[in-house]
Amino acid sequence: PGMSITSYNGGAVVAMAGKNCVAVACDKRYGMQYQTVATDKNKVFKMHDRLYIGLAGLASDQATFHEKLKFRLAMYNLREERDIKPASFGKLVSTLLYEKRFGPYFIEPVIAGLDKDNNPYLFASDFIGAPLLPDMETNGFVTAGTCTDQLYGMCESMWRPDMEPEELFETISQCLLGALERDCLSGWGATVHVICPDKVITRTLRGRMD
């Protein structure tokens, strides 16, 4: 009782921009309020080689929304015969959420991608699709989930512009792990994806298992 439906399953997602690379990370806990049900829940999904989306919030709506996105992207690829641009995908996500604003999906999306010139693209929104596009010069990161305050503080103090992929990985990992330790609804390890122009580096982090 009294708990927000968006924090019922717990979870945290963060994305961060570097120099011609971008990273997105999530924790692995799947819970029902304060009870932990599973410790291998993936919240970040690949849309194409240079575009990933993380979904924080209610697990059932994450699954529903992910299936809907896969369908819309398949239709886009058939019609356009190319991969969707990150900025267009941001608009698509925003529109899909807003059209259900009177009975919304209880999720907060975080998008990380590289455009055709390898510039990082970050996007976050609330559950009716109001977009947040961060200023890459001063705040090259976006957060979502049950420990956004902690994550935002960590990112604000540790992020800096033009990080190379390895430094970006270290930074986003430390930010996420530091925030997870201050939140009992998320944690149990993490998954980090670093998207580079020629490859995607995926690593699993061990966190506190309590």
Side-chain angles (χ1 to χ4, degrees):
M3 178 179 272
S4 156
I5 193 68
T6 47
S7 57
Y8 180 79
N9 297 122
V13 182
V14 58
M16 201 175 266
K19 184 180 183 184
N20 297 337
C21 58
V22 67
V24 57
C26 67
D27 72 320
K28 297 171 84 168
R29 180 180 182 272
Y30 168 64
M32 291 166 68
Q33 293 187 337
Y34 295 116
Q35 180 182 16
T36 299
V37 178
T39 58
D40 59 354
K41 172 99 173 81
N42 181 37
K43 303 175 183 77
V44 174
F45 307 100
K46 178 180 174 177
M47 294 290 112
H48 60 69
D49 287 342
R50 297 155 66 92
L51 183 65
Y52 280 66
I53 184 168
L55 301 172
L58 193 65
S60 52
D61 281 355
Q62 286 173 22
T64 306
F65 196 73
H66 179 225
E67 290 302 315
K68 201 163 183 164
L69 282 177
K70 283 202 297 192
F71 166 71
R72 294 295 286 262
L73 279 194
M75 294 305 290
Y76 184 94
N77 291 344
L78 276 172
R79 192 170 57 244
E80 301 281 336
E81 297 185 347
R82 64 186 169 94
D83 284 334
I84 193 167
K85 293 177 190 161
S88 309
F89 183 66
K91 293 274 198 308
L92 169 66
V93 167
S94 192
T95 307
L96 281 176
L97 289 170
Y98 190 68
E99 68 187 17
K100 287 272 193 288
R101 64 193 176 280
F102 298 119
Y105 295 113
F106 294 109
I107 53 168
E108 297 174 82
V110 162
I111 300 170
L114 291 176
D115 67 15
K116 65 181 191 302
D117 302 319
N118 296 329
N119 296 317
Y121 173 84
L122 295 179
F123 168 100
S125 89
D126 61 3
F127 51 80
I128 56 165
L132 168 71
L133 299 165
D135 175 11
M136 294 297 187
E137 303 301 312
T138 55
N139 275 16
F141 53 85
V142 286
T143 66
T146 52
C147 58
T148 44
D149 292 352
Q150 293 92 321
L151 262 173
Y152 206 91
M154 290 293 296
C155 292
E156 223 170 22
S157 57
M158 294 181 74
W159 180 85
R160 65 180 190 81
D162 295 333
M163 289 187 282
E164 296 294 333
E166 279 306 317
E167 189 187 356
L168 182 63
F169 165 74
E170 262 330 303
T171 306
I172 197 170
S173 303
Q174 293 300 329
C175 287
L176 185 59
L177 290 174
L180 295 180
E181 293 196 357
R182 291 280 165 195
D183 179 37
C184 63
L185 294 177
S186 51
W188 284 89
T191 308
V192 184
H193 305 277
V194 182
I195 306 163
C196 309
D198 55 340
K199 63 179 186 285
V200 177
I201 305 162
T202 300
R203 296 191 179 117
T204 306
L205 307 177
R206 285 189 60 183
R208 280 172 53 161
M209 301 296 179
D210 59 357

